[in-house]
Amino acid sequence: MQDEKIRLCVDHPLGPGQGVPLTEAQAHYLFGVMRLAAGDRLRLFNGRDGEWRAEVEAAGRRSGALRVTGQTRPQAQGADLWLMFAPLKKARTDMLVEKAVELGATRLMPILTEYANAERFRPDKAEAHVREAAEQCETTLLPQVDAPRPLTRVLADWPEGRRLIWADEGAGRAGERLAPLPEGPAAILIGPEGGFSPPERARLAALPYVTPIALGPRILRAETAAIAMLTLWQAQRGDWV
Amino acid sequence: MQDEKIRLCVDHPLGPGQGVPLTEAQAHYLFGVMRLAAGDRLRLFNGRDGEWRAEVEAAGRRSGALRVTGQTRPQAQGADLWLMFAPLKKARTDMLVEKAVELGATRLMPILTEYANAERFRPDKAEAHVREAAEQCETTLLPQVDAPRPLTRVLADWPEGRRLIWADEGAGRAGERLAPLPEGPAAILIGPEGGFSPPERARLAALPYVTPIALGPRILRAETAAIAMLTLWQAQRGDWV
């Protein structure tokens, strides 16, 4: 394979002439699955140093080395957008993580709420999905993945100057118009399938940095609401405009 | 269960006092899975007559009957939006169908293109997913599901007055701004993972009723592009405004 269709996300620093050793899993993917050989080219990124062209220097069954030859793109900065979500069932969480990368979220924050669907969220598994999605969608952005934290604690530590955009499923059915999204750094908040509890709703409604947004007359599943809100934000305030 | 949380999509006409016989699958769901019994209440819709309250008249293991007691909501009309998509791998197609219902598409049109991912699309399976998603998301709209047709034939039969909004993955990377969507009846067109072929692209670009729209700097998967475009349309032109 002589073109550079293959993109690999690595941890190693990237720069001109840089040597990049491969893990066993990376060597298996490049040489066992994708059938690259010495001299073949690919592209690398690490979420910090942009995207670089590299060549295979050594290809083994369980190891290998690449050499960076030149930069293909500078590091994208992305728009400053966090996604806070209650972990869902596994397949839907995996899908949500993949879509959040495609749609340019810069931080993924699993939150624990009173009506949680699932307590389990594995940040290491989510990070693997992040890297795979980033390889696929041609981005150089790797969103940070947090460990799950209770909603109450996240709200108590809220940083100054960031708006919290609350996908409020109660609002849409009342026939409210879709409001414009606030400007500046933002976080999108999506509740679990069962919604937020009355005390959680009251707390959110009272916070000065919260903007509730209705997403139409139908009840969206949590992951649909997340994708829709990420889309609207990128289209109004993010890197789609 | 005395409340009416359960919504069932039926084929039968619905009206005041109407008796509704149940299929074996419906009886199993209501009485075996959800444990309803004679006298319990639920809601019914059929995509035409709005949403109605009904009571269980007879509950058997493999059969049963309901009686409509009163209307809860009139039939929603929805906004006139078709979704044309190349069938994907099964799990992604299932997900796309579910999201299209949540996001209010009124017609699902699988299309065959030169770089198709999958030739197989089962309208009967898709219809089952449509009904399930509609039960879940509180809509009374049931989008029509077409059999797959070649893109060329769909374009040759294009109806007057309907805009085709083409999610053109080539456009976004060129740094184009996100354009406003056209008004009036619309169809969203999403290509397969491999994109459209050069002849298909040339044909689309030359058609007077086609509006190409770029969805940002990342390469979205087909189902992500579909969800994003449905969202933008509902937010700008559809029933979210």
Side-chain angles (χ1 to χ4, degrees):
Chain A
M1 236 171 129
Q2 282 306 312
D3 64 2
E4 294 145 20
K5 280 197 180 162
I6 296 174
R7 294 179 87 235
L8 187 69
C9 180
V10 298
D11 288 325
H12 211 266
L14 297 172
Q18 180 78 53
V20 180
L22 295 174
T23 65
E24 188 172 332
Q26 289 168 336
H28 173 73
Y29 169 68
L30 292 182
F31 311 133
V33 179
M34 302 309 293
R35 302 282 173 188
L36 293 193
D40 283 349
R41 290 181 296 192
L42 69 163
R43 289 174 292 152
L44 305 178
F45 66 103
N46 60 10
R48 304 180 301 274
D49 300 327
E51 186 190 75
W52 296 76
R53 191 178 292 116
E55 254 185 40
V56 177
E57 272 198 340
R61 272 190 57 184
R62 298 187 175 182
S63 63
L66 309 175
R67 179 73 58 189
V68 173
T69 55
Q71 191 160 29
T72 44
R73 280 190 290 161
Q75 178 62 35
Q77 291 314 310
D80 187 352
L81 180 63
W82 299 354
L83 176 65
M84 299 163 60
F85 61 97
L88 306 165
K89 285 180 186 163
K90 187 181 171 308
R92 290 186 190 266
T93 297
D94 291 350
M95 195 266 270
L96 176 57
V97 167
E98 175 184 291
K99 300 313 173 210
V101 176
E102 290 179 64
L103 296 169
T106 52
R107 185 175 176 189
L108 305 184
M109 304 169 70
I111 51 160
L112 305 175
T113 65
E114 289 190 45
Y115 299 161
N117 293 106
E119 294 286 321
R120 277 167 311 183
F121 177 85
R122 293 269 307 267
D124 57 328
K125 299 272 185 194
E127 268 163 24
H129 286 293
V130 162
R131 298 161 73 98
E132 199 178 315
E135 288 172 350
Q136 166 85 28
C137 77
E138 295 279 330
T139 190
T140 53
L141 289 173
L142 289 180
Q144 171 186 337
V145 179
D146 291 4
R149 282 194 298 162
L151 175 63
T152 47
R153 200 165 318 153
V154 175
L155 295 179
D157 296 342
W158 198 255
E160 207 171 334
R162 183 175 298 269
R163 297 298 303 183
L164 194 163
I165 302 169
W166 171 25
D168 180 8
E169 64 182 17
R173 304 185 76 194
E176 270 179 44
R177 292 176 66 85
L178 186 70
L181 300 178
E183 295 188 48
I188 287 168
L189 172 63
I190 306 291
E193 294 289 351
F196 291 106
S197 71
E200 285 169 340
R201 292 184 59 83
R203 172 104 199 264
L204 287 167
L207 289 168
Y209 55 80
V210 168
T211 303
I213 297 281
L215 291 173
R218 288 165 295 277
I219 300 294
L220 305 185
R221 280 184 181 269
E223 74 278 6
T224 318
I227 298 170
M229 202 64 105
L230 289 166
T231 297
L232 292 179
W233 196 86
Q234 291 294 5
Q236 279 185 36
R237 307 287 178 213
D239 61 15
W240 291 14
V241 288
Chain B
M1 233 171 130
Q2 282 306 311
D3 64 2
E4 294 145 19
K5 280 198 179 160
I6 296 174
R7 293 180 88 234
L8 186 69
C9 179
V10 296
D11 288 325
H12 212 266
L14 297 172
Q18 179 78 54
V20 180
L22 295 173
T23 65
E24 189 171 332
Q26 289 168 336
H28 173 72
Y29 169 69
L30 292 183
F31 311 132
V33 179
M34 302 308 292
R35 301 285 173 184
L36 293 194
D40 283 348
R41 289 181 297 190
L42 70 162
R43 289 174 293 152
L44 305 178
F45 66 103
N46 59 11
R48 303 181 302 274
D49 299 325
E51 187 190 74
W52 296 76
R53 191 178 292 118
E55 252 186 42
V56 177
E57 272 199 338
R61 272 189 59 183
R62 300 187 172 181
S63 63
L66 309 175
R67 178 72 59 190
V68 173
T69 55
Q71 190 160 28
T72 44
R73 278 191 292 162
Q75 178 62 36
Q77 292 312 310
D80 187 353
L81 181 62
W82 299 354
L83 177 64
M84 297 162 61
F85 60 98
L88 307 165
K89 285 177 187 164
K90 188 181 171 309
R92 290 187 191 265
T93 297
D94 291 351
M95 195 264 270
L96 175 58
V97 167
E98 176 183 291
K99 299 315 172 208
V101 175
E102 289 179 65
L103 296 169
T106 52
R107 186 175 175 188
L108 305 184
M109 303 168 72
I111 50 160
L112 305 175
T113 66
E114 288 190 45
Y115 300 161
N117 292 106
E119 294 285 322
R120 275 169 311 182
F121 178 84
R122 294 268 307 266
D124 57 327
K125 298 273 184 194
E127 268 163 25
H129 287 293
V130 162
R131 299 161 72 98
E132 201 178 316
E135 287 172 352
Q136 167 85 26
C137 76
E138 294 280 331
T139 190
T140 52
L141 287 174
L142 289 180
Q144 170 186 338
V145 179
D146 291 3
R149 281 193 299 162
L151 175 63
T152 47
R153 201 166 317 156
V154 175
L155 296 179
D157 296 342
W158 198 256
E160 207 172 333
R162 183 176 297 270
R163 299 297 304 183
L164 194 162
I165 302 170
W166 171 24
D168 180 8
E169 65 181 16
R173 306 184 74 194
E176 271 178 43
R177 293 177 66 82
L178 187 69
L181 300 178
E183 296 188 49
I188 287 168
L189 172 63
I190 306 291
E193 295 288 351
F196 291 106
S197 71
E200 285 169 341
R201 292 183 60 81
R203 172 104 200 262
L204 286 167
L207 289 168
Y209 56 80
V210 168
T211 303
I213 297 280
L215 292 173
R218 289 166 294 277
I219 300 294
L220 305 185
R221 280 185 183 269
E223 74 277 7
T224 318
I227 298 169
M229 202 63 104
L230 289 166
T231 298
L232 292 180
W233 196 86
Q234 292 294 5
Q236 279 185 36
R237 307 287 177 212
D239 61 14
W240 291 13
V241 286

